[in-house]
Amino acid sequence: MPMPLLALPFPHIDPIAIEFGPFAIRWYALAYVAGIVLGWWYARRLAANEALWGGLRAPKPSDIDDMIVWAALGIVLGGRIGYVLFYDLEGYLQSPAEILTIWRGGMSFHGGLIGTAVAIALFARSRGLRLLSLFDVSAVVAPIGLFTGRVANFVNGELWGRPAPDLPWGVVFPRAGSIPRHPSQLYEAFAEGILLLVVMAVAVRLAGFRRPGLLTGIFACGYALARIVCEVFREPDEHLGFLFGSALGPLGGGVTMGQLLSLPLLLLGIALIWAASRRSRAVSARDASV
């Protein structure tokens, strides 16, 4: 079937970046490694900037070095387990060995978030560090990994967008038929990665880490809103479809799994911002009475 006039062919990108005989390193894995390494570098700079902490105890660079190992395990294990549980539990129960094939894609952000939170909580307890402060540092650097992860989704030709036959930049994905679609992976790379990274950089510059939990709340709200909006352009998983309806929109009554999982995150973000602001007002009132 000829390609529609208003369509971009999917760029031919070999998913394997480096290959040595039976050993292969995929772009998908390198994207995660790049996100973790760049996030570690940025987190060290934030921890070393005393002006951002306002007298609070900051984690030492060595703490960041160790925390990134815990966080990486939380990202990978939580992301994969979350995808299995949230998106295709029945399918993986039928073929349990497929759970280990991470290189084929299939990582859940919300699962990775839970896994990372658990890992950082255990790390904070082992070092006697303030948990919310570690969460705040992680929140500022997290969009880097989100950006590289979404680019990896595009390279893998997975998680494509909804049909857009008249869209000038619509992309025909190899495994999604001949209809041009929204490159929703790139939309998410921009909204959840670049845009959210800028928002978090401005927030940390204005507020620093002086209000534990504030930056985590801003990140949670920012990601949830970006994900909910981007899901409008993203094709829901075939085996799930739209939840509670037949289509996305006021008449269809449907939402996607990504939108549904983002709602509790949005509420959590609002609660964290409110709690951090309340603590800040209490400290200001106490200082004024001295």
Side-chain angles (χ1 to χ4, degrees):
M1 180 179 295
M3 182 178 297
L5 294 177
L6 293 177
L8 299 175
F10 183 77
H12 177 70
I13 304 174
D14 189 339
I16 298 177
I18 305 172
E19 189 171 11
F20 302 99
F23 181 73
I25 301 177
R26 295 174 177 264
W27 288 111
Y28 192 81
L30 289 179
Y32 274 87
V33 172
I36 292 171
V37 171
L38 290 173
W40 161 75
W41 171 81
Y42 190 17
R44 281 179 60 94
R45 290 177 62 88
L46 293 171
N49 190 342
E50 296 181 3
L52 297 175
W53 292 86
L56 292 180
R57 179 189 175 189
K60 300 187 295 290
S62 58
D63 293 325
I64 299 297
D65 295 344
D66 295 336
M67 184 185 75
I68 200 66
V69 178
W70 291 61
L73 290 173
I75 291 170
V76 175
L77 294 178
R80 188 56 170 176
I81 293 172
Y83 183 83
V84 171
L85 294 177
F86 299 149
Y87 289 93
D88 197 11
L89 178 59
E90 183 178 351
Y92 283 107
L93 287 178
Q94 294 176 0
S95 304
E98 290 295 312
I99 296 176
L100 302 177
T101 59
I102 298 177
W103 58 87
R104 295 179 184 173
M107 298 286 283
S108 164
F109 165 79
H110 298 89
L113 179 65
I114 295 172
T116 304
V118 171
I120 292 176
L122 293 174
F123 175 78
R125 182 177 180 180
S126 69
R127 293 292 177 90
L129 296 171
R130 187 190 297 266
L131 177 58
L132 284 178
S133 294
L134 293 183
F135 280 167
D136 286 343
V137 174
S138 302
V140 176
V141 307
I144 298 175
L146 289 171
F147 173 78
T148 59
R150 291 308 181 193
V151 172
N153 292 148
F154 182 78
V155 170
N156 258 18
E158 62 184 1
L159 306 183
W160 50 74
R162 300 177 68 191
D166 298 325
L167 191 69
W169 57 86
V171 176
V172 177
F173 292 93
R175 292 179 287 167
S178 60
I179 301 175
R181 295 176 175 273
H182 285 283
S184 57
Q185 312 97 323
L186 301 183
Y187 297 172
E188 292 187 83
F190 172 76
E192 302 167 6
I194 297 174
L195 184 58
L196 190 53
L197 181 64
V198 172
V199 169
M200 296 308 302
V202 172
V204 76
R205 184 176 182 85
L206 294 177
F209 297 100
R210 293 179 287 274
R211 303 177 185 178
L214 176 64
L215 295 172
T216 303
I218 293 173
F219 169 79
C221 289
Y223 176 84
L225 292 173
R227 180 68 182 268
I228 289 171
V229 171
C230 288
E231 287 278 322
V232 174
F233 305 98
R234 177 173 160 177
E235 184 77 7
D237 294 73
E238 183 178 359
H239 56 282
L240 290 177
F242 293 104
L243 308 178
F244 315 119
S246 59
L248 188 64
L251 299 180
V255 298
T256 66
M257 178 62 79
Q259 290 174 320
L260 184 64
L261 293 174
S262 294
L263 289 176
L265 186 60
L266 178 61
L267 296 176
L268 175 61
I270 293 172
L272 286 170
I273 293 173
W274 176 80
S277 300
R278 187 178 181 184
R279 283 195 299 271
S280 177
R281 288 195 298 270
V283 171
S284 298
R286 185 172 64 248
D287 291 343
S289 64
V290 174

